[in-house]
Amino acid sequence: MSASIYVLNGPNLNRLGTREPSTYGTATLGDIESLCRDVGEDLDLEIEFRQSNHEGMLVDWIQEAGDLAQGLVINPAAFTHTSVALHDAIRAAEIPTVEVHLSNVFAREAFRHHSYVSPVALGVICGFGPTGYRLALEALSTVIRP
Ligand code: DQA
């Protein structure tokens, strides 16, 4: 049976493609979803791909992932740097979680250097653009099926 992986995306990521392309590239969120679905097929992972601009919605989906999925990939976007609620939800979900950022947040403004999500993530991937999602799914699949 396929393992289920939730891939959640936070605020403003629905604007990828036109949003600050010099920082985030030109791939749209739809392109990233297709990439995740292709990787999911290769690795026999069932991908649930979602985006929200609302913190509470992301909390609801993390809770749902904790009930239904074997792993979580999350790009929490700006909530990375602000959200104790996402930290608590991921901690409580108790499923392996990979934090992904398209950009290298450590090469950017100081306020992006702190993450509330990293302490409750299994690992963090940043700076590789959409490829980070592929790497996250590959990493999760080795953890779920050692
Ligand atoms: C981001 C980095 C965050 O600092 C920023 O707020 C985003 C996108 C990234 O993917 O590089 O919205 O998570």
Side-chain angles (χ1 to χ4, degrees), residues 82-100:
T82 63
S83 181
V84 176
L86 290 190
H87 171 108
D88 285 350
I90 293 167
R91 182 187 287 278
E94 291 185 334
I95 52 172
T97 296
V98 181
E99 176 184 346
V100 172

Side-chain angles (χ1 to χ4, degrees), residues 23-70:
T23 300
Y24 297 116
T26 52
T28 65
L29 195 63
D31 296 333
I32 294 175
E33 177 171 0
S34 299
L35 178 155
C36 289
R37 294 199 183 288
D38 288 348
V39 176
E41 262 185 38
D42 290 348
L43 299 176
D44 193 24
L45 302 171
E46 192 187 306
I47 303 296
E48 187 65 37
F49 191 97
R50 300 182 189 171
Q51 186 274 335
S52 178
N53 293 325
H54 304 279
E55 188 176 13
M57 180 61 81
L58 291 163
V59 169
D60 286 347
W61 288 343
I62 293 164
Q63 292 179 359
E64 187 182 307
D67 290 339
L68 300 178
Q70 284 68 54

Side-chain angles (χ1 to χ4, degrees), residues 10-13 16 19 23-24 75-81 100-105 108-109 111-112 126-127 133:
N12 300 304
L13 294 174
L16 288 176
R19 175 192 179 199
T23 300
Y24 297 116
N75 182 346
F79 293 143
T80 308
H81 318 297
V100 172
H101 301 284
L102 296 157
S103 64
N104 178 357
V105 286
R108 300 182 63 196
E109 304 96 319
F111 69 83
R112 296 186 204 274
C126 74
Y133 287 74

